[in-house]
Amino acid sequence: MRTSKTLTVAAVTAAAITAGGLLTVSALASPAHPAAPKQNFPSYSVKVILKGANLRHKNSKTGKNEALSLPDDITQYGGNLYTAFQNGVGPQGQAATDGNKDSTIVEFTPGGSVVGQWDVTGKVDGLTANPATGDVIATVNEDLHSSLYDVTPGGTVVHYQYNKALPHNGGTDAISFYKGQMMISASAPGTTGAAAPNAKYPAVYVVTLNSTTRVATVKPYFWDESSAHRANVHLGAGVKLALTDPDSNEVVPSVAPRFRNDFMLTSQGDEEQIYSANSGSLWVLKLPASVDDTAWATSWGGTLYATDNGAGTVNAVDSRLFWPGTAFVAVTPCDENGAPATCPGPGFPANYLGLLDMYNGQITKVELHGGTLHPQGMVFVDASS
């Protein structure tokens, strides 16, 4: 992660109405000009539940206690949440201005009470929990010199190195577990060597961990210039990807209105999302803006948790009613390709929370009550969790 409506009649046979009233459609049987059903979405409120300024870790250089800062990715497992504070570390693992080289992973309750924390060397950009084991996996250094950490449920931290120099000449970012496989975004392609896009650069890796050798073996899932189908313009027409910024990734939940249970990669600067049921089936949804994380409401009741990188906080977004399948996105205008060096600025506002129409790619800004939020990482936790 970088820091800083109606269906045509012909499509009805490919769609199904869920009990909640959402119109769903298979990625392989999409309508000619799809658009999501119009909804009157409920109001949302936001409040801060965790402040990095109130937490402490030891500076890796000076040994002095200092506040945590710059939270990014966020995940949940077993009733608790985890986020990573980057503490000023650079995207290649460069020391912060005060000499610190450690990010801090923090485990906390939904109410914001800290359960535990762990320092790891490098800038944590990707963070997720393995649903099969409860291990929390963190990738560090999204531009170069990347590696990953495994925090076991008992709190042991194991450091893994990749089995070879990453062939996309960049770093690694977001992590998802999809069909039993660990999927990691191949971020910042061409940091060294040939520039991106490049047909030889993987966009996503399937990663296998060897706990004995502490080696993480990578193999490509698809590539920066793989063939795909258009999902929102000239539906189904073939297109060649030209990815320059593979970033966040997710697994689409079964309640989503489209691409249910697919793996999804967001190419942040390129303003695209790529949905995939398998490595040979890619659908690209063009967006009107750059986005970072995507999180879907999976139940009528629950909470959307979001980090605010600049404010150094974790926030809870609540509503009296969440519509299952609603796709929330962290819109990041300053991470668009071509954004000005000084940002936010005219035409490039600060991050904001949006609602994504998965049929046509449109994004609607969410009006929040009770506070402000410039979201980065997000996760939805349903009421049963």
Side-chain angles (χ1 to χ4, degrees):
M1 300 183 182
R2 290 187 182 182
T3 53
S4 38
K5 300 204 174 174
T6 56
L7 292 178
T8 61
V9 174
V12 171
T13 56
I17 302 292
T18 69
L22 279 178
L23 196 56
T24 62
V25 61
S26 164
L28 298 180
S30 300
H33 294 287
K38 292 183 179 179
Q39 308 285 353
N40 291 320
F41 289 98
S43 63
Y44 302 96
S45 62
V46 61
K47 64 178 180 181
V48 173
I49 64 165
L50 190 68
K51 294 183 178 180
N54 294 340
L55 306 178
R56 295 291 183 272
H57 85 123
K58 287 187 176 182
N59 182 300
S60 64
K61 180 178 181 180
T62 67
K64 295 180 179 180
N65 287 335
E66 64 181 16
L68 306 186
S69 63
L70 305 172
D72 197 300
D73 210 356
I74 185 170
T75 190
Q76 68 94 18
Y77 182 83
N80 285 339
L81 295 110
Y82 299 79
T83 193
F85 289 84
Q86 297 165 333
N87 301 329
V89 181
Q92 298 184 26
Q94 308 99 313
T97 55
D98 63 1
N100 174 64
K101 288 188 174 183
D102 287 352
S103 296
T104 306
I105 300 170
V106 178
E107 179 184 4
F108 57 100
T109 68
S113 297
V114 174
V115 176
Q117 63 182 62
W118 303 267
D119 279 359
V120 296
T121 302
K123 178 187 178 184
V124 176
D125 264 285
L127 187 76
T128 201
N130 184 339
T133 65
D135 289 22
V136 173
I137 309 297
T139 62
V140 295
N141 306 339
E142 82 269 32
D143 281 6
L144 205 64
H145 310 307
S146 188
S147 59
L148 66 82
Y149 292 87
D150 182 346
V151 182
T152 67
T156 302
V157 180
V158 181
H159 190 199
Y160 287 81
Q161 300 287 347
Y162 294 110
N163 63 311
K164 60 182 178 181
L166 296 175
H168 74 291
N169 295 331
T172 53
D173 202 306
I175 315 145
S176 290
F177 284 86
Y178 182 62
K179 297 181 179 179
Q181 299 183 115
M182 185 191 302
M183 318 287 283
I184 297 182
S185 300
S187 58
T191 298
T192 63
N198 189 303
K200 296 181 179 180
Y201 288 170
V204 178
Y205 294 111
V206 178
V207 180
T208 305
L209 304 183
N210 186 317
S211 60
T212 301
T213 62
R214 299 188 177 184
V215 169
T217 300
V218 299
K219 66 176 182 179
Y221 181 67
F222 66 85
W223 310 80
D224 286 352
E225 294 191 359
S226 287
S227 297
H229 299 283
R230 297 182 186 272
N232 53 352
V233 179
H234 305 301
L235 187 75
V239 63
K240 185 172 74 171
L241 300 176
L243 306 183
T244 64
D245 191 23
D247 197 89
S248 297
N249 61 56
E250 322 286 345
V251 177
V252 184
S254 60
V255 297
R258 195 180 187 198
F259 302 117
R260 297 186 302 273
N261 304 315
D262 280 8
F263 171 80
M264 186 275 286
L265 170 72
T266 297
S267 195
Q268 188 174 9
D270 301 311
E271 303 173 34
E272 292 179 348
Q273 291 184 334
I274 298 89
Y275 293 83
S276 172
N278 57 68
S279 60
S281 173
L282 306 179
W283 290 76
V284 56
L285 184 69
K286 187 66 180 175
L287 309 178
S290 166
V291 305
D292 200 327
D293 252 3
T294 305
W296 287 264
T298 54
S299 65
W300 297 101
T303 302
L304 176 69
Y305 292 92
T307 61
D308 187 321
N309 190 263
T313 60
V314 178
N315 305 265
V317 177
D318 288 305
S319 174
R320 293 181 62 186
L321 180 71
F322 281 97
W323 191 279
T326 301
F328 294 92
V329 289
V331 186
T332 57
C334 289
D335 288 322
E336 295 177 13
N337 290 345
T342 302
C343 206
F348 293 88
N351 293 8
Y352 62 89
L353 183 64
L355 295 172
L356 171 66
D357 185 324
M358 294 181 66
Y359 291 92
N360 59 25
Q362 293 179 358
I363 296 172
T364 303
K365 185 176 181 179
V366 174
E367 298 299 329
L368 295 170
H369 305 282
T372 59
L373 172 64
H374 303 301
Q376 196 84 28
M378 301 192 303
V379 64
F380 184 85
V381 180
D382 65 37
S384 64
S385 297

